[in-house]
Amino acid sequence: MNDLRPIRAKSGTNQEGTSAHNRRVMIDALRLNGQLSRADLARATALTKQTVSNIIEELERDGLVQSLAAVRNGRGQPSTPYRLVAEGAFAIGLQIDRHVTRTIAVDLVGTVLARGEANLPAGGPATGVKTILDLIEKTRRDLAAVAPQSEQRLVGLGAAMPGPFGIDADVDDPWMMAAWQNFPLLETLAAGTGLDVALQNDSAAAATAERLVGAAHGVDHAICIYLGYGLGAGLILNGELYRGANGNAGEIGMILSLPRGAANDERTPLEYRVSIASLCKLLELDPADPDLYAHIDAAVMAEDARLPGWLDTAVYELRAAVQALETIFDPQTVILCGGLPPGLAQLLTDTMQPLLPSLADRRDRILPRLQVGFTDPWAVAIGAAAEPISRTFDPRFSAILKTRTADIA
């Protein structure tokens, strides 16, 4: 039924003991393509028709897949397409930022069903964690009101906050959230919600959102530059999010960069000049202002005289960052996303053209070297919610390695 369009899917394996991987491969194929027949799935995943049939029946019993009306193509026998059941699974996402916390509830295909937001009180995690747990509980109630079966099908809680993790930092450092990072956050959230909890940095969460329902959907190699209060990058390599040894991969805002005209001993972190925090300082705006986006957009539209200097610096640094990331990781595309207004994101992207020459200048390019992705305050929370879905259902090469190691042992 899909002879006229390419099918995007990862390959399964017909080796014994890999049924869990093959199940994930088929769920991923249905998510990427919308609906596929058994023959489509077998052809795209390199699995036998019998294996596909067995897994489809299992997924139907589990309420994750449903059949649609048969479709006749040409003179052949009618084929039955299958699609994911959106209500087959749900997840909660949590964003913890310096001034605010947000929660999102999504279904299996990434549709947002409930959301909540609250200001974090002073006092750090000792007082803020109650606000967070209350907000999660409210979001679960709101989700249950629109999807009564959600409590039985919640696959986990994804949490995201600024990194880097596990390093020594001054508690009063405005660029770090040392008090929160030193707090037993995962244990407290798990005990308070009864859910499996995983933590990632905000740029990784933004990349997860792009991978599930954004500009990186169906892309195996993408770099997502996250411009928010700080600056980071989410790395999607071989279709999976690369986190690094300590969950700190992509912390490009920590790169010690030398500003133009500065002496050699004046290197400072890149995000000191390229971030919403640096722009707020320049425009005398409060990063905690709920109308921050509107104020920044107004400054852009009014061509505020203070903006060109920041824009010139940001473009200079980001062009170099894109060229370096392309050289190191050879991505299919670089995506600018995160907690910044859409107008500012487009202005940055347009002003960065032409990009610096790099090995990404290929004649056979399909995707642009640089494009705009999610640009709204909820991008990180969406990615945080997508993480439990990804963790539960996405195919991972590491799972095959573990299976084969166990077989050999």
Side-chain angles (χ1 to χ4, degrees):
M1 61 178 288
N2 288 287
D3 294 337
L4 298 180
R5 62 180 175 87
I7 300 174
R8 296 178 295 172
K10 292 182 172 62
S11 294
T13 173
N14 291 298
Q15 297 177 350
E16 293 184 5
T18 55
S19 59
H21 171 73
N22 291 337
R23 176 182 166 109
R24 288 171 176 251
V25 163
M26 287 179 52
I27 290 173
D28 187 58
L30 291 171
R31 179 184 293 122
L32 288 174
N33 297 280
Q35 58 187 57
L36 296 170
S37 69
R38 297 188 187 200
D40 291 330
L41 284 163
R43 184 171 64 253
T45 62
L47 294 170
T48 66
K49 291 182 179 179
Q50 186 59 53
T51 298
V52 168
S53 293
N54 292 342
I55 295 176
I56 282 290
E57 291 173 5
E58 177 184 324
L59 293 175
E60 281 189 294
R61 288 194 302 269
D62 291 345
L64 296 172
V65 164
Q66 66 181 170
S67 61
L68 303 176
V71 176
R72 181 181 293 277
N73 289 315
R75 298 180 180 178
Q77 291 292 322
S79 61
T80 300
Y82 294 85
R83 71 178 179 190
L84 292 180
V85 176
E87 301 81 10
F90 302 88
I92 305 291
L94 167 68
Q95 177 190 9
I96 304 173
D97 212 330
R98 293 160 181 85
H99 312 288
V100 68
T101 182
R102 299 183 179 96
T103 51
I104 284 275
V106 301
D107 61 21
L108 179 57
V109 298
T111 303
V112 176
L113 301 175
R115 66 175 68 196
E117 182 177 27
N119 290 329
L120 283 174
T127 56
V129 73
K130 183 181 186 305
T131 299
I132 289 171
L133 288 172
D134 289 345
L135 188 62
I136 293 172
E137 180 59 31
K138 182 181 182 302
T139 301
R140 290 174 74 165
R141 291 197 305 269
D142 293 344
L143 174 61
V146 297
Q149 74 278 38
S150 59
E151 277 299 309
Q152 289 72 44
R153 290 183 171 270
L154 272 176
V155 296
L157 170 67
M161 61 184 290
F165 302 130
I167 66 172
D168 293 331
D170 188 337
V171 174
D172 296 323
D173 187 337
W175 295 94
M176 301 290 183
M177 293 184 67
W180 281 94
Q181 293 185 20
N182 295 328
F183 183 76
L185 182 62
L186 296 187
E187 297 85 349
T188 303
L189 292 175
T193 65
L195 298 173
D196 291 333
V197 185
L199 177 67
Q200 57 187 330
N201 65 35
D202 47 10
S203 56
T208 302
E210 296 290 351
R211 181 175 177 274
L212 184 67
V213 291
H217 185 63
V219 178
D220 287 331
H221 308 278
I223 305 298
C224 301
I225 295 180
Y226 175 79
L227 181 60
Y229 185 94
L231 180 70
L235 314 176
I236 299 171
L237 308 176
N238 292 319
E240 298 184 17
L241 189 69
Y242 178 73
R243 304 177 187 278
N246 302 290
N248 290 326
E251 287 285 356
I252 61 172
M254 302 294 291
I255 293 174
L256 294 178
S257 173
L258 187 66
R260 283 183 291 185
N264 288 335
D265 59 350
E266 294 180 341
R267 291 182 180 272
T268 54
L270 184 57
E271 64 185 5
Y272 284 17
R273 295 177 299 286
V274 187
S275 61
I276 295 300
S278 65
L279 181 59
C280 286
K281 183 178 180 179
L282 178 70
L283 298 179
E284 300 178 306
L285 297 174
D286 180 3
D289 189 335
D291 296 322
L292 178 63
Y293 274 30
H295 294 320
I296 293 177
D297 273 336
V300 173
M301 293 296 295
E303 300 182 353
D304 189 300
R306 296 169 292 182
L307 192 61
W310 180 87
L311 183 65
D312 180 65
T313 297
V315 166
Y316 174 79
E317 298 286 10
L318 287 174
R319 291 176 83 214
V322 168
Q323 199 271 349
L325 291 167
E326 288 176 329
T327 302
I328 297 169
F329 295 106
D330 190 23
Q332 293 166 268
T333 187
V334 176
I335 301 166
L336 178 65
C337 62
L340 73 164
L344 180 60
Q346 195 61 58
L347 178 62
L348 278 168
T349 303
D350 291 345
T351 312
M352 286 169 65
Q353 304 297 333
L355 296 171
L356 297 178
S358 84
L359 52 78
D361 286 318
R362 301 177 58 88
R363 291 188 298 274
D364 60 349
R365 287 198 67 87
I366 297 175
L367 298 173
R369 284 178 60 188
L370 177 66
Q371 59 181 306
V372 176
F374 278 124
T375 53
D376 69 57
W378 296 89
V380 171
I382 292 171
E387 195 281 334
I389 299 288
S390 174
R391 178 167 22 110
T392 305
F393 297 109
D394 285 359
R396 301 181 188 276
F397 182 64
S398 57
I400 302 179
L401 290 179
K402 290 178 181 177
T403 299
R404 296 302 301 148
T405 302
D407 291 345
I408 294 171

